[in-house]
Amino acid sequence: MTLYDDVANHSTLETAWLSVRRSGLRSQSERTREAIKSFDASLGSHLERISSELSEGTFAFGKARAAPIAKPGKDPRPLLVPEIPARLVQRALLEILQQQDQISSYVDHPCSYGGLPGKTRAQAIAAACESIAGGATFVIRSDIPGFFTRILRQDVLARIRELLPDESLNGLLDQATHLEISNVEQVQTIRHLFPSYDEGVAQGCCLSPLFGNIYLRGFDDDLNSGDATVLRYIDDFLVLGRNQDSAREVFDQARRLLRTLNLGAYHPDDGTGKASAGHVERGFDFLGCRVTPGRIEPSKGARQAFIERVADQLRTSAHRLRTGLPDPAVDQPYSLSGVLLRTGRMVRGWSEQYRFCNQSDAFGSVDHKVDKLVTKYLKTFFKQYKKARSDPARLRRLLGIWMTSDTRREPILPLKDNGGSDS
């Protein structure tokens, strides 16, 4: 069997679907969530069709929808959303590639952490702490602007061809990592942010982190061959040196290497705020954490961004409450029970991401701010509650308790209304 046969295998596609389904159901886009549910309802026939098309060589990835995500004061994130079958085959390709020893050993550099099975942000932070304990006194943090859209895709494909034991995936990988944009006219003014045929891989594609790690393997090797440590998490990197001179020397080397790869790096003095430099005892931000010797906590920016997400969710619900939530099928998530359930999950999920931190003060501050937001929200709710006390249906909808009369009925006999029943 070839690697292509492994990708087309029904069991590989089933495994890939679990990942696609899991990420799709977590999407902020209702369109995406509904598409995943619809695909899942007929999963068996879909998998059979895709497996057959792959085996027959007739599978087509189709075009992808450009869905740029706005970022205040910055260029939008150029997200590409393929159709579900394309996402499924991309994930199946990733599953098979990650199983190849030649690929996994190539990307598994001891100083690279993002997008690698079994490696985590917590491990990257721990490595920074170990470097500090080992004598590092000066740190430079930076990231690579436009990383995914500037990767030379053909260079990565050529390296993958060298690493794999057969050539059967060459064509499929090429197709999987270059999809035409279906709505190009809608993003014409920012078309340059999206990948072209030779340059760039799509943000949002599960294969992109692997391509990024393959592309920067030489960067990881060269920069960790001296007395400084360079830790990388996808496009974020940290230079830890024994003194300021050694750290700056390695950082300058990093920028030179990146230029040879069609990439760049923010400089601490460029005014963007995307890079910083200083002595480690003063602390530094990395991967959403504030790190000082002996202390790790969520960074101020990470805490503020999370609180704003909670506030935005509660504000939206408070606004919808004033309408009485007339459409339960649409409005239930904005009811009291719906929004409190989502808020609780958000808080738990965020705190789980930072469970490796060792400072409780920052978490106490977050809880205090969430408490204030919830208290303010409940005041709005109880105002609407008082107005709805004489209207049981409106009251139920504010609370988020479904009414039987809201269910769309499809009776197999003529619908009759006998005036209700107490039995």
Side-chain angles (χ1 to χ4, degrees), residues 50-72:
I50 293 170
S51 179
S52 296
E53 289 177 356
L54 285 169
S55 297
E56 296 165 4
T58 59
F59 179 81
F61 284 91
K63 296 183 178 182
R65 176 173 56 87
I69 298 176
K71 299 168 69 177

Side-chain angles (χ1 to χ4, degrees), residues 230-273:
V230 178
L231 306 174
R232 185 176 61 81
Y233 195 98
I234 307 294
D235 55 352
D236 290 290
F237 67 94
L238 200 67
V239 179
L240 292 145
R242 290 192 172 275
N243 53 54
Q244 182 174 167
D245 289 341
S246 67
R248 290 194 181 278
E249 181 181 346
V250 172
F251 180 67
D252 290 342
Q253 181 188 1
R255 298 185 82 201
R256 290 194 298 271
L257 279 171
L258 290 171
R259 281 195 291 271
T260 68
L261 295 169
N262 193 45
L263 300 170
Y266 290 107
H267 193 281
D269 301 327
D270 62 15
T272 64

Side-chain angles (χ1 to χ4, degrees), residues 78-133:
L79 189 69
L80 278 179
V81 184
E83 296 298 326
I84 292 178
R87 273 179 267 173
L88 181 56
V89 176
Q90 287 172 337
R91 184 69 204 192
L93 276 164
L94 180 62
E95 296 284 342
I96 295 304
L97 288 174
Q98 289 179 335
Q99 292 173 16
Q100 307 310 305
D101 291 340
Q102 303 93 323
I103 296 288
S104 60
S105 61
Y106 187 80
V107 297
D108 190 18
H109 191 279
C111 293
S112 174
Y113 294 89
L116 296 168
K119 286 197 162 184
T120 65
R121 178 175 58 160
Q123 291 174 341
I125 299 294
C129 293
E130 289 172 11
S131 181
I132 293 170

Side-chain angles (χ1 to χ4, degrees), residues 205-246:
C205 173
C206 64
L207 289 162
S208 295
L210 175 65
F211 271 52
N213 284 325
I214 291 173
Y215 195 56
L216 290 183
R217 172 58 197 246
F219 174 89
D220 296 332
D221 282 338
D222 290 348
L223 295 180
N224 284 286
S225 59
D227 61 353
T229 298
V230 178
L231 306 174
R232 185 176 61 81
Y233 195 98
I234 307 294
D235 55 352
D236 290 290
F237 67 94
L238 200 67
V239 179
L240 292 145
R242 290 192 172 275
N243 53 54
Q244 182 174 167
D245 289 341
S246 67

Side-chain angles (χ1 to χ4, degrees), residues 163-177:
L163 294 170
L164 293 181
D166 68 51
E167 300 178 352
S168 62
L169 291 182
N170 291 356
L172 194 65
L173 261 178
D174 188 15
Q175 297 169 41
T177 53

